[in-house]
Structures are given as C-alpha cells and as structure tokens.
C-alpha cells in the first residue's frame, strides 16, 4: 500500500459486522479507520472517534477516506435525520463509495433505514445496500435470544412456525468487503441469507444437538411478545419488533438467495456450522 492511498472508514467498528469488516480489510493490507464512540484500538486499523449524535466528530472521521461502511445508529426510528447530513458531508469530503447495512425486512423507501437506502444512489456513484436476514449470531452472541438460551434453555418468539433464512455475520462481512473493494461496486440492494430457511423450532433442535443441552422454542402471541419486550425498551420499538415476528409467522422471511454464492464463489455457511464453531 502506498502512503497516498485512501482509507476505508468503518462505522460501528466494534459491532457484530463492523468488527469483522475491519479484520478482513486489515488482513488484506487495506488502510482502515475503525470508528466508534470511544475510538477503541483495533488491530491493523486507525481508531477514530465517531458519534452519530455529535456532528463535530464527522470531519475527523472522514479525513482521508474515500469509502465508508455504514451501520445505522441503534434504536433510532428515523436514522435518516442524522445519517443523510453525514452522507452529504462524506460526499463533499471525497467519499465516492458507500456500503450500508440494512435488513431484508426493510425495502428501499421503507421505514427507518429504508429512507437512507432510497437516498444512497443519488449521493454516491458507487454504492451497495446489504439486506441480510436475521443473524445466526443472535443465538451465539449477546442478543436477547442468546441470553435466554444460556439462562434457561428457551427461545421466545411470536414467529410461530415461520421460517427465516438466517445468515452468518462472517458471510455478511465478506460480502461487505467485496462491495467495498472490488473494482466496480454492486450498485444494488443485496438480500443475504444462509443456505436454508429454518424455523425457530429448527434452530432450537440444532442448538440442543450441538450443545448437549435441551433448548426449546416457546411460541408466544404477538401481544405477549410485545408486552414482554416493552418491559425492556420503548413501547413503540417493542411493538415493531413483535410485529417483525408476526411477519415471519406469515412467511415474509421464508426465502433463500444466491447472493453469497454469486459474489464470493462459495456457499453461505449453515447454522449448524456456525453453532459448532461458536458453541461447540
């Protein structure tokens, strides 16, 4: 790498996908700025302070960057209000490629980050929007499902027997790096899934088999799930999350795509493989 080569700015650099994106870029010799509220040191990257709530942090984070990996602010119902001013500033500062993490459940122009998705092609000549299904790491990391699995061997949802194409965060990060570094950006929204659509009962069965500890899926009503979540978060956000379970029950996430295979030249990893890697 030469001294004049630009940086890739990774926002949310200590998060589930951001940390993996930083590690992959650094491993290939890329120049990386690892952005977060505390500018946490990360191997192979330059730590930089970045806070969506503090626009004064934007300029320093963008200095020397020509591409950016975007994690929306967490728990914000209208992220476009803070993200779009930053993205306009990024374009003015010389960023010409942006890769946004969204969700398979949110289309362009949809609620929340869907508004940012819709705006991205008009802001950057090179772009991609990653729309992964639910993360496999929801059952192995620090997500509420993983915590209840560890605490009492249960997964509680209002998803019924609905199926989801759960995807490995490592595969999401690999696609993100591809979108950031290939000669031509995808300039598209990319729905990312694992190789199979699985129900939460299927997930519980795999976890039972891999860990040797009985894990069960408790089927809750939408109302009970909403009220359970509302004890831990704002009521509006709880209703949205419970509503996403309800759409799963109705079949909205019962799909798989060939995106990982097509872009990476290999099949996406199965849930059993990830469970064995992280819990076995």
């Amino acid at each position: 790498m030469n001294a004049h080569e630009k940086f890739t700015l990774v926002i949310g650099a200590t998060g589930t996908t951001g940390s993996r994106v930083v590690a992959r870029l650094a491993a290939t010799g890329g120049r990386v700025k690892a952005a977060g509220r505390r500018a946490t040191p990360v191997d192979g990257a330059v730590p930089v302070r970045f806070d969506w709530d503090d626009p004064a942090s934007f300029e320093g984070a963008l200095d020397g960057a020509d591409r950016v990996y975007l994690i929306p602010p967490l728990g914000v119902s209208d992220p476009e209000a803070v993200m779009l001013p930053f993205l306009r500033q990024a374009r003015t500062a010389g960023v010409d490629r942006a890769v946004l993490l969204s969700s398979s459940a949110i289309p362009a122009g949809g609620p929340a980050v869907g508004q940012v998705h819709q705006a991205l092609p008009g802001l950057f000549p090179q772009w991609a929007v990653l729309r992964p299904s639910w993360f496999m790491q929801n059952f192995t990391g620090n997500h509420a499902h993983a915590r209840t699995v560890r605490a009492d061997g249960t997964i509680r949802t209002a998803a019924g027997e609905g199926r989801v194409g759960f995807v490995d965060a490592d595969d999401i990060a690999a696609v993100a790096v591809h979108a950031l570094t290939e000669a031509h950006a995808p300039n598209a929204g990319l729905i990312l899934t694992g190789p199979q659509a699985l129900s939460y009962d299927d997930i519980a069965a795999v976890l039972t088999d891999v860990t040797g500890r009985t894990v069960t899926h408790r089927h809750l009503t939408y109302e009970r799930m909403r009220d359970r979540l509302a004890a831990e978060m704002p009521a509006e956000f709880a209703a949205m999350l419970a509503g996403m379970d309800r759409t799963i029950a109705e079949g909205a996430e019962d799909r798989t795509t060939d995106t990982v295979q097509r872009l990476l030249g290999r099949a996406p990893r199965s849930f059993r493989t990830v469970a064995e890697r992280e819990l076995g």
Side-chain angles (χ1 to χ4, degrees), residues 255-266:
R255 61 181 165 187
T256 59
T257 68
D258 69 350
T259 309
V260 172
Q261 177 75 53
R262 180 163 47 84
L263 295 183
L264 303 183
R266 62 164 176 80

Side-chain angles (χ1 to χ4, degrees), residues 94-201:
V95 172
D96 59 18
R97 186 180 302 204
V99 175
L100 169 68
L101 181 69
S102 181
S103 164
S104 62
I106 303 176
V113 74
Q115 296 297 310
V116 183
H117 178 167
Q118 186 173 54
L120 212 62
L123 289 168
F124 299 94
Q126 300 182 69
W127 61 278
V129 178
L130 309 188
R131 296 180 58 203
S133 185
W134 274 239
F135 291 15
M136 292 177 179
Q137 279 71 17
N138 287 357
F139 307 100
T140 64
N142 295 314
H143 188 276
H145 289 324
R147 293 197 297 271
T148 61
V149 165
R150 288 192 290 266
D152 60 13
T154 63
I155 302 167
R156 297 172 177 86
T157 83
E161 296 179 0
R163 299 193 303 171
V164 175
F166 295 100
V167 61
D168 181 10
D170 281 356
D171 287 341
I172 300 169
V175 171
V177 169
H178 181 279
L180 287 164
T181 60
E182 285 295 297
H184 300 286
N187 286 6
L190 304 170
I191 295 180
L192 308 178
T193 73
Q196 295 173 289
L198 301 172
S199 70
Y200 283 91
D201 291 320

Side-chain angles (χ1 to χ4, degrees), residues 67-81:
R67 56 198 69 195
V68 59
Y69 179 64
L70 296 157
I71 305 288
L74 298 177
V76 175
S77 59
D78 59 342
E80 72 276 10

